[in-house]
Amino acid sequence: MMKFRGLNKLHPGTLLLLIISILPAISCKGQFYSAPDSLGPKITVKHDTFDYGIIQRYSNPYRYIKLTNTGKEPLMISVFGDVVSPVKYPKTPIEPGQSGEIKIYYPTAKVGPFVNFIGINSNAFPRQKIIFVKGWVLHTETTDTTQVYK
């Protein structure tokens, strides 16, 4: 029979804590992601943050986010949003080297600064991409944007 010297002198709570802290390291073996498949589809967006800029209240609420498939297989996407709503996006596969547009909507009746997001689910690696959408809606009808920062 094998004896472990010194373990019988440990407090039972300390022994339990030691076992609990080692178990996650053992169970995670082989669970890390491997490198992305270079042969699959790949989403490329010019910026991870889309800026509406400083806009007037009740102005055009629609903008377009351009994305490109820089991979080697067709790209399939679905889009979801927070306050900024995706209105239209490509429902058919985007072929390698081709681009598509996501039409987004922010209700410009809401005055003040905003930061929201659009999420893109796809068959690319990683499976989900988040694009932040920010801007500032002015209450006044002035075009002097220096008043915003005072």
Side-chain angles (χ1 to χ4, degrees):
M1 184 165 174
M2 192 189 285
K3 289 186 179 181
F4 295 100
R5 295 182 187 193
L7 287 182
N8 58 351
K9 294 179 184 176
L10 290 176
H11 186 270
T14 307
L15 183 59
L16 181 63
L17 185 62
L18 181 65
I19 292 171
I20 290 174
S21 64
I22 292 174
L23 279 177
I26 295 170
S27 65
C28 287
K29 183 180 177 188
Q31 297 296 318
F32 298 104
Y33 288 101
S34 61
D37 184 11
S38 62
L39 300 177
K42 184 178 179 187
I43 295 177
T44 302
V45 181
K46 192 171 187 176
H47 301 289
D48 288 337
T49 301
F50 182 84
D51 192 359
Y52 260 72
I54 299 171
I55 57 175
Q56 298 295 323
R57 189 174 188 192
Y58 304 116
S59 64
N60 182 9
Y62 299 102
R63 299 292 189 273
Y64 295 91
I65 297 174
K66 183 179 177 181
L67 55 97
T68 306
N69 179 5
T70 56
K72 299 188 189 233
E73 288 183 10
L75 174 69
M76 294 290 296
I77 66 168
S78 65
V79 181
F80 62 94
D82 186 19
V83 175
V84 179
S85 306
V87 177
K88 191 176 181 182
Y89 60 91
K91 307 267 191 302
T92 59
I94 301 170
E95 296 298 322
Q98 299 297 314
S99 297
E101 286 186 333
I102 300 172
K103 183 178 182 181
I104 60 173
Y105 168 84
Y106 179 79
T108 56
K110 298 179 181 182
V111 176
F114 63 91
V115 176
N116 297 107
F117 69 90
I118 292 291
I120 303 172
N121 289 323
S122 71
N123 60 335
F125 183 86
R127 298 280 182 217
Q128 193 174 73
K129 181 161 188 66
I130 302 294
I131 299 173
F132 291 95
V133 179
K134 68 177 186 173
W136 193 304
V137 179
L138 293 177
H139 179 62
T140 61
E141 297 300 323
T142 182
T143 57
D144 183 15
T145 58
T146 58
Q147 294 179 358
V148 173
Y149 300 106
K150 289 185 180 179

